[in-house]
Amino acid sequence: FLCSQFENEANPNYHAQTTGPEILKDFAGKRLDYFVTGYGTGGTFQGVGRVLKAARPDTKIVLLEPEAAQLLASGTKTERKPSGAPKASHPAFAAHPIQGWTPDFIPKILEDAQDLNLYDELVPIGGPESIATAKLLASQEGIFTGISGGGTMAGALKVAATAPKGSVILCMLADTSERYMTTPLYADIDADMNEEELEIAKSTPSFQLVPDKEPVLQM
């Protein structure tokens, strides 16, 4: 069974039935000036975009894509098979570290969203700033998200930098950092604890996971 997530209309339709209405419910009677999102299959963007444009047309939708792989910005279409699947890799694609964003083609679902004019602005996001933002979210906000989550927040921060004062900006961080342990997000973090980290590990007498010692797990 192939779900054909890049072409299957059930993908955006589900978001139009769930994610979009959830946003409307959460912001009922409240401002919502911007919705900021990246794209993978384009399902969230198209489904939520359709709902917001119909119910809250004043909300601006900002779409993000990797700086190294600006497929939409290139203006070049993806050639397709009769099924809607791509015939070949897109000429504007280059490798980028924002996993989950922007495959090497423009998904049919995303192209359909383009035809519906669902986004108001297209913003490129760099890989390094995505990684840096993900780390800041973890260290300063306690939000453990991955590189694409960092990219989404980086895009929201770019929007916030130029938006009118008091603007309300929504973005969703749809992944968790535990999936990224072997990626560049953790490249500068040693696998073993340093002396400072060992002292922190020893600071809880009833719960200790110290290397080369029996675990202490007192309930």
Side-chain angles (χ1 to χ4, degrees):
F1 171 74
L2 295 177
C3 65
S4 303
Q5 61 178 344
F6 295 101
E7 298 87 39
N8 193 336
E9 293 181 0
N11 178 351
N13 288 346
Y14 190 77
H15 286 287
Q17 295 166 11
T18 57
T19 316
E22 182 179 350
I23 292 171
L24 294 182
K25 180 181 177 182
D26 288 345
F27 286 89
K30 303 174 185 177
R31 286 181 62 175
L32 179 57
D33 300 295
Y34 297 91
F35 173 59
V36 182
T37 183
Y39 67 85
T41 65
T44 300
F45 163 58
Q46 191 202 124
V48 172
R50 279 161 35 198
V51 170
L52 288 181
K53 287 300 181 184
R56 302 192 63 152
D58 291 337
T59 298
K60 291 183 173 61
I61 297 177
V62 180
L63 188 61
L64 314 172
E65 65 179 354
E67 196 170 61
Q70 298 184 54
L71 275 58
L72 294 180
S74 73
T76 302
K77 297 276 190 180
T78 285
E79 292 187 34
R80 303 193 183 282
K81 301 175 182 177
S83 65
K87 283 185 176 180
S89 183
H90 194 283
F93 180 80
H96 62 85
I98 312 177
Q99 296 179 15
W101 275 18
T102 311
D104 66 337
F105 56 92
I106 297 174
K108 179 67 167 60
I109 289 170
L110 181 65
E111 184 175 288
D112 292 343
Q114 271 190 295
D115 294 340
L116 294 171
N117 297 315
L118 292 181
Y119 67 81
D120 299 282
E121 186 177 359
L122 183 64
V123 175
I125 300 294
E129 67 182 313
S130 300
I131 293 171
T133 305
K135 290 179 178 178
L136 285 173
L137 284 168
S139 62
Q140 297 186 10
E141 303 294 339
I143 298 174
F144 199 53
T145 191
I147 299 174
S148 59
T152 302
M153 180 58 74
L157 291 172
K158 282 189 174 183
V159 172
T162 58
K165 186 176 181 179
S167 294
V168 176
I169 302 168
L170 168 65
C171 71
M172 299 187 298
L173 310 184
D175 60 357
T176 178
S177 193
E178 65 196 25
R179 301 174 183 174
Y180 292 80
M181 297 291 187
T182 58
T183 72
L185 181 58
Y186 287 88
D188 60 354
I189 299 176
D190 292 332
D192 298 322
M193 289 188 282
N194 59 33
E195 289 300 321
E196 181 183 1
E197 291 166 340
L198 282 170
E199 289 305 313
I200 294 172
K202 296 174 184 177
S203 68
T204 53
S206 63
F207 190 100
Q208 292 187 2
L209 295 174
V210 178
D212 301 321
K213 291 188 178 182
E214 286 295 317
V216 176
L217 305 172
Q218 298 177 5
M219 303 300 291

